[in-house]
Amino acid sequence: MRVFSKFLALIMLALLLGGGNASAQLRYVNEMFNDAQLTVTSNVVYGQNHHFFPPTTTYPVLDLKMRVYQPDQTVDTRTDRPVIVYIHTGNFLPPVINGGIGGSIDDSAAVNLCKQWAKRGYVVIAPAYRVGWNPLAATELERRAQLLNAVYRAINDIKCAVRFMRKSVVESGNPYKINPDDIVLYGQGSGGYVALAYVTMDKHSEISMPKFQLPNGQSVVDTNVVGNLQGFNGLLNRNNHVGYSSSVKMSINAGGALADTTWLEAGDAPMISFHAVRDPYAPYTNGIVVVPTTMGNVV
């Protein structure tokens, strides 16, 4: 299933991005480059923002960093390469604390996926986004509020990374040799929540419906604190790369869930979704999402 889903996604991506041709090898589907022909650059700073983990009262501003995978530019002469944004899993908590041994851009699955795409001609970025919430909070409402805010901050970070890539084309001479109009998302596990919400959550009403409300009727996501839907403003939020679009051409999720089906609307970016029928945490059809570390209900 994993091999098939990856191949199907690549075929659809290739068709969407215009990679089809009559040659023996199909760029974006077949491997065009080997490991020795890849360039991997770590610790690329794509923005700055307030961090919420470990818990603190100061919310320090730290660099947001990502890893970039690409075919070496001395080998690959294309200057309009599409971008895949890989969004890692991890329950929005660091490894071990999240109940698993993985959950970062250093996971073996993450590294392998990114290299596989780069070998096929993509530029791949793997942003490390902000995490942090308390799965041991006393009530379901507290857990829901904290988790949804963690997802919201992650979405803002991924939007920041997308804007950074577009900014690099205009202001830095396109160092990664990308086509800024061909950027797609791939969310794995918890990253699937981010990928799905990224292209569907576009109105404040969608984060203030009754199931996302506090007892006073306000949304659990206070945009005055964490910024608006585009990732700007907010008391504990930094404005990164203002003036650049965070739109994407497609969203792919392997796992995760959509917060509410009413978020799906005409005009949303195309989506490819894969899910495990027996996922014990995020229901295959619809139902209650539970915390993997405690099995407590969230939303």
Side-chain angles (χ1 to χ4, degrees), residues 86-136:
Y86 171 81
I87 311 170
H88 69 78
T89 189
N91 304 325
F92 303 97
L93 286 168
V96 182
I97 295 176
N98 63 21
I101 60 172
S104 77
I105 61 174
D106 296 317
D107 293 350
S108 58
V111 172
N112 186 54
L113 278 171
C114 292
K115 285 186 175 180
Q116 289 290 329
W117 290 322
K119 288 179 182 179
R120 288 163 168 79
Y122 295 95
V123 173
V124 187
I125 65 172
Y129 54 84
R130 290 172 294 167
V131 298
W133 65 290
N134 182 12
L136 300 177

Side-chain angles (χ1 to χ4, degrees), residues 11-23:
I11 288 287
M12 296 182 73
L13 272 172
L15 293 174
L16 179 73
L17 299 173
N21 58 58
S23 63

Side-chain angles (χ1 to χ4, degrees), residues 197-244:
Y198 191 112
V199 296
T200 59
M201 187 184 71
D202 53 9
K203 301 182 186 68
H204 188 268
S205 60
E206 293 173 331
I207 56 172
S208 56
M209 58 180 58
K211 69 179 180 181
F212 301 137
Q213 289 179 2
L214 297 168
N216 63 6
Q218 298 299 309
S219 171
V220 297
V221 177
D222 187 346
T223 56
N224 292 315
V225 175
V226 294
N228 60 29
L229 293 173
Q230 290 304 313
F232 298 127
N233 305 321
L235 180 64
L236 295 175
N237 183 60
R238 287 293 183 96
N239 292 341
N240 289 282
H241 320 311
V242 178
Y244 291 94

Side-chain angles (χ1 to χ4, degrees), residues 19-27 30 32:
N21 58 58
S23 63
Q25 285 191 307
L26 183 62
R27 185 179 174 118
N30 302 117
M32 309 293 290

